[in-house]
Amino acid sequence: MKVSYQWLNEYLPLAKNGIKPAALAEKLARTSVDINEVSSPKDGLKKVVVGLVKECVPHPNSDHLHVCQVQVSDDETVQIVCGAPNVAAGEKVIVALHGARIGNNVKIKRSKMRGEESNGMLCALQELGVSTSVTPKSDDEGIWILPDDAKVGEPVWPYVGMDDTIIDTDVTPNRGDMLSIYGNVNDLSAIYDLKKNFRQHALASEDGGPASDKVKISVADDKIAPVYKMRVIENVKVADSPLWLKVKLMNSGVRPINNVVDITNYILLKYGQPLHSFDYDKLPSHDINVRHAHEGEKLTTLDDEERVLKANDIVIAAGDTAVALAGTMGGKSTMVDNNTKTVALEAAIFDPVMVRKQARRLDLHSESSMRFERGINPETVETALNEAAYWLTQLANGTVDQGIVVGNQSDYPAKTIQMSTAKVNDTLGTDLSLADLLDIFRRLDFATEKIDDDQFKVVVPARRWDISIPADLNEEIARLYGYDKIPSTLPVMTRTLGGLTDRQRRLRASRHVLEGLGLDQAISYSLTTVAKAKQFMVEPQDVEPMVLSYPMSSDHVATRMNIVSGLLNDIAYNHARNVDNVALYEQGRVFIPAGGERPREEEHVAGAVTGSLYADNWHMKGDQIDFFQLKGIVEQYLKNFAVNGKVEFVADSSRPEMHPGRTANILLDNQQVGFIGEVHPQTAKEYKIPETYVFELNLEALLKADRRDKHYEAISKYPSITRDIALLVDSSVTNADVVNAINEKGGAFLTDVHLFDVYEGSHLPKGKKSLAYTLTYRDQNDTLKEETVNKAFAKVEAHLTDALGAEIR
Amino acid sequence: MGIREKLEELRDQGLADIQKTADLDSINKIRVRLLGKKGPITNVLRGMKDLSAEERPQVGKFANQIKQDLQAKLDEKKSQIEDDLLQAKLQSEKIDVTLPGTSVAQGQPHVIQQVIDQVVDIFTDMGYQVAVGDEVEEEEYNFEKLNLPKDHPARDMQDTFYVTPSILMRTQTSPMQARMLEKHDFSKGPLKMISPGKVYRRDTDDATHSHQFHQIEGMVVGKHITMADLKGTLELVAQKLFGDQLQVRLRPSYFPFTEPSVEADITCFNCMGKGCPICKGTGWIEVLGAGMTHPNVLKMSGVDPNVYGGFAFGLGPDRFAMLKYGVEDIRDFYLNDVRFLNQFDQKG
Ligand SMILES: [Zn+2]
């Protein structure tokens, strides 16, 4: 809310006590509500004074300009050329002198306009930087005319309220009371312990006939409008508002329209009570019905929009014709205009939720709806209505009909909350006495009653509808006592065993493994397209991902079932920016629908590498990533995971997004836990990425798996013996086949099988390849004899020939 | 010429030859020539049989002496030549030590991960446990049990990705507060937890908004937990993360699951409170929201608010990282440009 410092000062002696706007704003921020901005309309402006137009003649060389002689001080009159149609001799005007700075940082300089000297500029408010969204319509039509008593030569600011300072507060949903000058005065009075003098204007006389003869009101449901009241004011003369009222509205960010509308807005700002004025004579019926809208009912609102309503909306109807969206916006057909004679003035409390839903659905957030949503002070509904009627008699010459027509009036009993001094201190960590607490509530104007040395009662006034339990009062105590004065301690308590769980520790450590191996950690979007969500699943299955009801963008509609697709998006992003060596991994959640309401969330890790892991160097060429480099990384990662089971890489050609000849499923004890391989060139093309290798592992399976025991094995004191063997086998025979065969018949002393050469090419028969291994034998307890090794080795040779048809070379 | 003279001559000649030699090969040849079985010294000694019995041992001794002298000279010369050769070799092996080192592959943790790990470490050191929840939550836990009933205005503060009316993408990691409160056995002591993770809001992505970001929520519930404890805890965290001299100040705020609720500001680490563009001239930076756990939250999770109380706080690692490193666009965190990722070394 834009809070005027000057307005506050009418009710609170802030300036008198040396409390300046900036300090006030700081205090509010520390005690009450957040502050967006503190500013004065005159900030940055200079040399703008009151002038008197002594003479005004048409410009000899123009059909619309005037040449004016303007007195700008007791002894100085200057010539100014002015194009405004409303400039005339005898007017007090706003003069930007030579050297002045006006709105939008414009500097005014002496100049010649079509041959006539001009020593400044006569201004409208908008030229002084006042937003056109708040300047009155009259300001659009010419220069601003100042009141007759404005003193020539004086700075113009006080005459247009521009010397005020505006504190723009950001009110949290719980502090609806701070959306009024009344609420701000109450809070500031408590904060500074200043006596407030909130001037209210009682309605002195009701000179019209009984209002109840004019309107009948029925409220269909207490819930829609717990309070609904109306007054009728006749003989109203719609006109411009006086300057003081216009200034208050403009400084509060509200545009002056006419006296009737301005008065309702003034009351809204002063009390936080939205009012609505109907043109009584335009109402199609004087039976007012507050009800839910009929489904499909139409209403054209003040902003000229035709609204199609829903049954949840709430309306004010005259007879059965909707004439206003309750609490949100009036209808066009019954709006007050220059010819309005009789005003039906509504003051009500509407259901916050209904108003909120309606305003949201129609995207119609008004000063009124904002206040209804956050709550209305039931204590001042009638006060506000009466004061508005008072101002209509004063400023619009109205005659107030007798009595208030009450459509509904619910009870708002005062809330009494019992408090304990000890409990307060035990919650806040303070050492306040009962007297201290009672004094805080005295400042807040909350009645209290002492029960004993510890207990007391607090009566919460209706204007603080946010308060209902002791914790709420704790907040009042804390903020008024001062958060700065609350000490800083650490919880004193029995030792707790915290720390990471085994799972959390392993996940963290495993991330560092991949970083050590050269992969950067990425965090991609978990929400993606349906198509991408379904790709690259560790266990491919025909399942649809979970989708959002109302996604915000077509790129993010479904929860991912894999991490790889996000990494490929990242690679595409890098590739589009000519970054071609990208090695990323990501650890995070995937969401696998599993029949329940919520998907099963699995922790996965995935990697994607394109280009080379090592940048080209002046003396070493970076190798392009290939299957085996990435497999090495995965193997190292798995080794660090220390799972006990048997890990296998099994060729897989069934994954549509993967290269059919360069992809392997990763099995742990025959259970599928991941995959690795080259992204299918077609898929790569769709992602707009170059050749890329990826892997993804389901960490849930790895975390659950038995872990290798960490036990130490003595290093054998005895020497080992090695034998090399080279085989010629069919191309279809895999390394795994050979290693398995060797291990099968390797004997007790075979400790290692190491592949050191693979050859396939022109020197070999077609369909054959050569593999060469070093076999290492060792006895843990004795020196191995050559002949023992020879025997074991011969068995291996024989088995390879028998089982795989290998030719030993 | 006597034997002695002959030997002396051989010695002088030999020493002179050795002196002239410049390579190992010649040294070897000289050794063989002078000291070999068929060499001149052996030859001379054959004439010893003509000497008297007294002279023979003396001459023999003298001959040995000469052999040793020559051998010593040969060794000396050899080692000198080897030394020269080594020096020459080393000279030829000289490299330009200013050439760049060979690149090795080394990845980085994501900057947001770094912030999360740092915060997690601070709290686990203080005996907090880490509760990681699901990202797809029940509306009951995301809102209802956090004192945000349906139609509560605060729900508008967070636009939510719903999946069904009762299932949503969590908008905060706070649901773990309720889940942990329900699980915790308070007879075994207080609950001290933090809950880091991804959260989602129905926002249009721009420089300051992201539909996906991170949150770390913390909560302590036990007997006699005070607002002063909250303040002290936040101060400790701020100082560990941003520096010792930083102050924390609390301002009133509003969260449905805490009462009182506060916003915590820390001294601007850029200007140390003097005022600068980062802190918009205020000298303070808003870093987290906190408060005393609302009695309704405790009640709804079956914890008696008359016996137990506590505090909760929540902070945004994305915002922390943006502040700490001056990152201007939140989307940079999720696009994973490696040139961006690689700027954040692990010292953080
Ligand atoms: Zn700063």
Side-chain angles (χ1 to χ4, degrees):
Chain A
M1 179 186 179
K2 290 190 165 63
V3 180
S4 152
Y5 177 73
Q6 291 185 352
W7 199 349
L8 291 176
N9 268 282
E10 292 178 23
Y11 311 129
L12 269 182
L14 295 166
K16 259 186 219 149
N17 284 279
I19 301 163
K20 298 220 167 74
L24 178 78
E26 173 73 8
K27 196 77 175 172
L28 275 173
R30 307 292 298 281
T31 322
S32 183
V33 290
D34 215 350
I35 303 295
N36 292 324
E37 199 189 13
V38 181
S39 64
S40 171
K42 72 173 195 323
D43 283 347
L45 311 184
K46 62 173 187 184
K47 292 188 88 171
V48 184
V49 300
V50 177
L52 172 62
V53 182
K54 303 280 266 190
E55 187 193 305
C56 178
V57 297
H59 191 294
N61 304 320
S62 162
D63 58 355
H64 70 282
L65 293 176
H66 296 88
V67 180
C68 307
Q69 304 304 319
V70 185
Q71 186 186 346
V72 294
S73 74
D74 285 351
D75 48 12
E76 193 185 4
T77 298
V78 295
Q79 174 170 304
I80 294 174
V81 177
C82 176
N86 64 335
V87 64
E91 284 173 351
K92 294 268 176 77
V93 292
I94 300 174
V95 185
L97 297 169
H98 168 70
R101 192 178 302 128
I102 60 171
N104 297 320
N105 211 10
V106 171
K107 287 196 189 101
I108 299 302
K109 283 205 179 101
R110 194 173 289 131
S111 66
K112 274 203 168 155
M113 294 178 79
R114 300 205 188 171
E116 290 294 331
E117 190 171 293
S118 186
N119 294 292
M121 178 177 166
L122 306 187
C123 300
L125 288 181
Q126 43 197 265
E127 281 155 345
L128 295 185
V130 181
S131 164
T132 51
S133 67
V134 301
T135 50
K137 201 146 187 286
S138 64
D139 196 59
D140 297 345
E141 290 152 7
I143 55 170
W144 185 261
I145 308 300
L146 295 170
D148 284 343
D149 59 358
K151 275 221 181 80
V152 171
E154 300 251 295
V156 77
W157 320 126
Y159 299 104
V160 285
M162 289 179 70
D163 56 341
D164 200 354
T165 302
I166 309 305
I167 298 153
D168 188 12
T169 60
D170 186 5
V171 177
T172 47
N174 61 323
R175 291 302 306 273
D177 65 302
M178 291 297 281
L179 289 173
S180 67
I181 295 293
Y182 179 68
N184 278 279
V185 166
N186 281 318
D187 225 45
L188 285 166
S189 152
I191 291 169
Y192 288 111
D193 200 6
L194 287 177
K195 199 169 158 46
K196 62 197 171 201
N197 173 28
F198 189 79
R199 213 159 40 250
Q200 305 187 352
H201 295 274
L203 185 57
S205 60
E206 301 175 313
D207 297 332
S212 53
D213 290 353
K214 287 281 175 47
V215 288
K216 305 260 179 295
I217 307 173
S218 80
V219 174
D221 180 351
D222 271 1
K223 197 163 170 355
I224 299 176
V227 176
Y228 193 94
K229 299 181 179 191
M230 223 174 221
R231 269 192 181 276
V232 178
I233 300 97
E234 299 182 63
N235 305 320
V236 166
K237 263 218 179 67
V238 177
D240 256 11
S241 295
L243 183 62
W244 68 263
L245 180 50
K246 285 183 186 164
V247 162
K248 274 201 168 66
L249 295 185
M250 284 192 286
N251 281 343
S252 306
V254 177
R255 180 176 205 163
I257 307 287
N258 60 45
N259 50 5
V260 176
V261 175
D262 292 354
I263 286 167
T264 59
N265 283 329
Y266 170 71
I267 296 297
L268 170 130
L269 293 166
K270 185 173 174 183
Y271 291 96
Q273 172 66 53
L275 300 173
H276 184 67
S277 50
F278 295 94
D279 184 324
Y280 179 84
D281 298 315
K282 290 185 192 168
L283 289 168
S285 156
H286 297 125
D287 280 333
I288 303 297
N289 291 295
V290 183
R291 58 162 170 83
H292 279 293
H294 307 311
E295 186 74 30
E297 190 173 11
K298 285 177 184 158
L299 172 65
T300 302
T301 42
L302 283 174
D303 53 4
D304 235 349
E305 291 276 329
E306 190 186 68
R307 313 280 177 176
V308 181
L309 306 181
K310 294 205 176 286
N312 282 336
D313 293 331
I314 48 176
V315 296
I316 314 301
D320 200 35
T321 312
V323 290
L325 279 174
T328 310
M329 193 179 262
K332 192 169 170 63
S333 65
T334 54
M335 74 185 272
V336 170
D337 62 28
N338 289 339
N339 302 316
T340 299
K341 294 276 173 303
T342 304
V343 169
L345 194 60
E346 163 203 285
I349 298 179
F350 295 111
D351 181 66
V353 175
M354 292 179 195
V355 172
R356 186 166 65 92
K357 285 192 167 164
Q358 170 162 294
R360 251 169 93 81
R361 189 179 73 72
L362 299 169
D363 195 18
L364 235 181
H365 299 275
S366 61
E367 294 278 339
S368 295
S369 69
M370 178 171 86
R371 286 173 173 82
F372 282 120
E373 286 172 32
R374 292 167 191 227
I376 297 291
N377 180 5
E379 276 173 356
T380 52
V381 179
E382 207 166 297
T383 319
L385 180 60
N386 287 340
E387 184 163 333
Y390 162 83
W391 286 114
L392 284 169
T393 65
Q394 297 297 304
L395 304 179
N397 215 19
T399 310
V400 180
D401 282 354
Q402 271 172 40
I404 292 173
V405 186
V406 179
N408 201 10
Q409 171 64 64
S410 307
D411 275 348
Y412 289 88
K415 280 166 287 188
T416 302
I417 300 173
Q418 186 157 338
M419 300 287 287
S420 146
T421 308
K423 196 103 209 253
V424 167
N425 286 320
D426 194 36
T427 304
L428 299 181
T430 46
D431 195 16
L432 295 165
S433 68
L434 175 60
D436 294 333
L437 298 182
L438 294 181
D439 192 55
I440 284 172
F441 291 112
R442 175 195 59 77
R443 282 159 61 188
L444 280 164
D445 228 352
F446 291 7
T448 52
E449 188 192 323
K450 185 176 158 181
I451 298 169
D452 56 31
D453 287 345
D454 177 62
Q455 306 271 318
F456 60 101
K457 280 184 188 166
V458 179
V459 183
V460 182
R463 64 182 162 84
R464 289 301 305 278
W465 56 92
D466 59 309
I467 295 174
S468 56
I469 55 171
D472 298 328
L473 290 177
N474 287 342
E475 177 156 46
E476 297 302 299
I477 295 163
R479 70 188 185 93
L480 285 168
Y481 174 62
Y483 285 114
D484 287 349
K485 288 195 240 165
I486 291 179
S488 290
T489 54
L490 287 176
V492 183
M493 49 173 79
T494 46
R495 255 175 67 84
T496 50
L497 274 180
L500 298 178
T501 61
D502 187 52
R503 174 190 169 95
Q504 290 160 354
R505 217 172 16 245
R506 291 179 76 194
L507 286 174
R508 188 193 276 201
S510 72
R511 290 200 308 265
H512 297 324
V513 170
L514 290 174
E515 285 147 17
L517 293 169
L519 274 55
D520 286 317
Q521 186 187 13
I523 301 179
S524 315
Y525 293 118
S526 304
L527 294 170
T528 182
T529 64
V530 170
K532 287 181 179 177
K534 288 160 78 171
Q535 293 178 329
F536 301 106
M537 290 181 70
V538 165
E539 280 180 271
Q541 49 190 297
D542 189 18
V543 62
E544 290 300 310
M546 189 186 86
V547 292
L548 305 176
S549 304
Y550 298 101
M552 198 70 187
S553 109
S554 59
D555 289 338
H556 309 293
V557 300
T559 46
R560 64 182 181 187
M561 299 192 287
N562 72 90
I563 293 179
V564 165
S565 62
L567 293 178
L568 297 189
N569 285 341
D570 300 337
I571 286 186
Y573 184 85
N574 280 279
H575 182 61
R577 281 154 190 77
N578 300 316
V579 181
D580 292 323
N581 293 332
V582 186
L584 296 173
Y585 85 91
E586 178 167 352
Q587 184 196 296
R589 292 291 170 87
V590 301
F591 307 82
I592 312 291
E597 249 197 323
R598 292 195 284 160
R600 183 177 70 240
E601 294 190 23
E602 290 177 354
E603 200 70 33
H604 280 204
V605 69
V609 184
T610 186
S612 85
L613 274 173
Y614 307 84
D616 272 352
N617 195 278
W618 59 275
H619 83 306
M620 254 173 86
K621 206 81 178 122
D623 284 339
Q624 289 292 301
I625 184 76
D626 63 16
F627 181 90
F628 300 106
Q629 265 195 60
L630 191 64
K631 185 179 176 190
I633 287 171
V634 172
E635 284 173 329
Q636 193 62 30
Y637 180 83
L638 290 169
K639 177 168 181 264
N640 278 281
F641 235 95
V643 291
N644 196 25
K646 182 175 159 214
V647 174
E648 286 172 285
F649 289 75
V650 180
D652 177 68
S653 56
S654 67
R655 294 171 180 269
E657 310 88 15
M658 297 296 290
H659 189 305
R662 293 185 175 176
T663 299
N665 284 329
I666 304 171
L667 309 186
L668 172 62
D669 285 338
N670 297 320
Q671 184 203 351
Q672 178 124 326
V673 295
F675 69 94
I676 178 172
E678 183 186 338
V679 175
H680 197 293
Q682 193 55 44
T683 312
K685 208 167 140 193
E686 284 156 19
Y687 275 91
K688 299 196 175 74
I689 55 171
E691 185 175 319
T692 299
Y693 289 84
V694 298
F695 72 88
E696 179 150 342
L697 292 166
N698 177 353
L699 295 177
E700 303 299 339
L702 295 179
L703 287 164
K704 253 186 283 172
D706 288 342
R707 294 173 75 176
R708 263 197 321 271
D709 289 337
K710 276 189 204 146
H711 76 256
Y712 153 79
E713 206 167 276
I715 310 285
S716 173
K717 292 194 293 278
Y718 304 100
S720 59
I721 295 177
T722 62
R723 290 284 183 275
D724 286 355
I725 183 168
L727 319 165
L728 193 66
V729 291
D730 289 345
S731 292
S732 61
V733 174
T734 66
N735 169 58
D737 296 337
V738 176
V739 173
N740 285 341
I742 293 173
N743 280 325
E744 251 175 284
K745 298 286 174 181
F749 302 123
L750 179 66
T751 53
D752 185 52
V753 180
H754 174 73
L755 173 73
F756 67 88
D757 189 48
V758 179
Y759 181 75
E760 217 165 346
S762 57
H763 297 294
L764 294 178
K766 222 171 148 43
K768 294 279 182 188
K769 68 180 171 189
S770 155
L771 300 168
Y773 299 84
T774 299
L775 279 57
T776 305
Y777 295 89
R778 181 183 290 118
D779 185 345
Q780 202 63 20
N781 306 312
D782 203 353
T783 304
L784 265 183
K785 295 202 177 66
E786 287 283 339
E787 53 190 273
T788 315
V789 172
N790 289 345
K791 255 191 224 160
F793 189 63
K795 272 189 189 161
V796 167
E797 285 181 321
H799 185 58
L800 288 170
T801 314
D802 291 351
L804 300 175
E807 183 187 323
I808 314 292
R809 305 174 83 211
Chain B
M1 203 193 295
I3 287 180
R4 194 175 278 267
E5 286 74 24
K6 273 188 188 161
L7 286 171
E8 275 172 357
E9 195 186 301
L10 277 171
R11 181 190 62 189
D12 293 348
Q13 186 58 46
L15 288 176
D17 287 351
I18 292 166
Q19 190 56 41
K20 276 184 275 176
T21 314
D23 63 277
L24 291 174
D25 204 31
S26 313
I27 289 281
N28 270 335
K29 279 181 186 148
I30 292 171
R31 185 196 313 276
V32 173
R33 178 164 61 78
L34 288 180
L35 305 174
K37 283 191 177 129
K38 289 174 186 161
I41 295 175
T42 315
N43 217 10
V44 167
L45 289 178
R46 284 204 187 102
M48 285 236 298
K49 58 184 186 305
D50 302 331
L51 296 178
S52 65
E54 299 93 69
E55 266 183 319
R56 229 182 271 168
Q58 283 172 15
V59 171
K61 206 177 165 198
F62 183 59
N64 274 331
Q65 181 61 48
I66 285 172
K67 273 187 181 171
Q68 277 171 24
D69 287 354
L70 285 169
Q71 185 64 52
K73 186 67 185 175
L74 279 166
D75 288 348
E76 186 199 335
K77 188 68 185 177
K78 186 182 174 213
S79 113
Q80 187 203 326
I81 291 171
E82 278 173 347
D83 205 39
D84 290 349
L85 282 173
L86 182 61
Q87 286 307 322
K89 182 166 183 277
L90 295 180
Q91 276 307 312
S92 72
E93 285 172 352
K94 188 174 169 162
I95 56 167
D96 177 358
V97 297
T98 68
L99 287 170
T102 308
S103 44
V104 293
Q106 162 79 61
Q108 298 287 354
H110 194 285
V111 57
I112 288 184
Q113 186 73 55
Q114 291 182 37
V115 173
I116 290 175
D117 286 352
Q118 232 179 329
V119 174
V120 164
D121 288 346
I122 292 170
F123 283 100
T124 51
D125 283 354
M126 293 192 286
Y128 285 61
Q129 56 175 307
V130 182
V132 180
D134 283 349
E135 293 172 23
V136 179
E137 253 299 353
E138 292 169 39
E139 115 128 4
E140 194 187 347
Y141 282 91
N142 194 76
F143 289 129
E144 233 91 338
K145 292 202 174 216
L146 296 172
N147 199 31
L148 264 136
K150 273 207 179 58
D151 302 325
H152 192 288
R155 282 210 187 181
D156 287 356
M157 292 159 75
Q158 314 179 348
D159 270 322
T160 308
F161 282 128
Y162 277 93
V163 176
T164 69
S166 60
I167 302 295
L168 44 76
M169 301 304 293
R170 66 176 174 192
T171 60
Q172 45 196 358
T173 56
S174 335
M176 282 315 278
Q177 288 189 12
R179 291 189 181 276
M180 295 299 285
L181 280 172
E182 288 176 352
K183 261 189 8 200
H184 188 74
D185 179 356
F186 282 91
S187 71
K188 301 222 166 93
L191 170 63
K192 293 162 78 178
M193 59 162 277
I194 56 165
S195 179
K198 264 186 192 171
V199 298
Y200 305 84
R201 301 273 168 94
R202 197 170 173 280
D203 254 333
T204 303
D205 293 345
D206 63 22
T208 53
H209 297 85
S210 176
H211 72 274
Q212 165 184 300
F213 57 100
H214 292 77
Q215 227 185 31
I216 304 175
E217 277 263 338
M219 181 167 76
V220 175
V221 172
K223 290 178 179 167
H224 313 294
I225 308 291
T226 70
M227 191 147 208
D229 295 336
L230 168 63
K231 198 174 166 185
T233 303
L234 298 182
E235 230 157 61
L236 191 86
V237 176
Q239 288 173 354
K240 285 202 173 179
L241 281 176
F242 292 105
D244 284 346
Q245 308 90 324
L246 299 191
Q247 305 274 302
V248 168
R249 69 169 197 186
L250 304 180
R251 285 182 292 112
S253 187
Y254 172 70
F255 307 106
F257 32 91
T258 49
E259 184 72 37
S261 300
V262 289
E263 208 80 63
D265 298 342
I266 58 164
T267 317
C268 174
F269 46 76
N270 188 51
C271 63
M272 294 315 286
K274 286 190 209 81
C276 73
I278 288 184
C279 56
K280 296 191 187 100
T282 62
W284 295 93
I285 291 181
E286 185 182 319
V287 286
L288 46 77
M292 304 307 292
T293 303
H294 197 291
N296 291 355
V297 172
L298 297 174
K299 227 181 290 173
M300 278 185 280
S301 292
V303 179
D304 184 354
N306 293 315
V307 181
Y308 299 99
F311 61 74
F313 55 87
L315 56 90
D318 301 65
R319 185 173 152 69
F320 267 44
M322 288 175 92
L323 286 172
K324 198 163 173 175
Y325 298 103
V327 175
E328 280 165 2
D329 194 326
I330 192 172
R331 289 169 294 194
D332 284 338
F333 293 133
Y334 303 108
L335 295 170
N336 301 303
D337 186 322
V338 290
R339 295 168 300 180
F340 175 83
L341 297 177
N342 279 315
Q343 286 178 45
F344 308 99
D345 65 51
Q346 292 187 55
K347 278 184 217 87

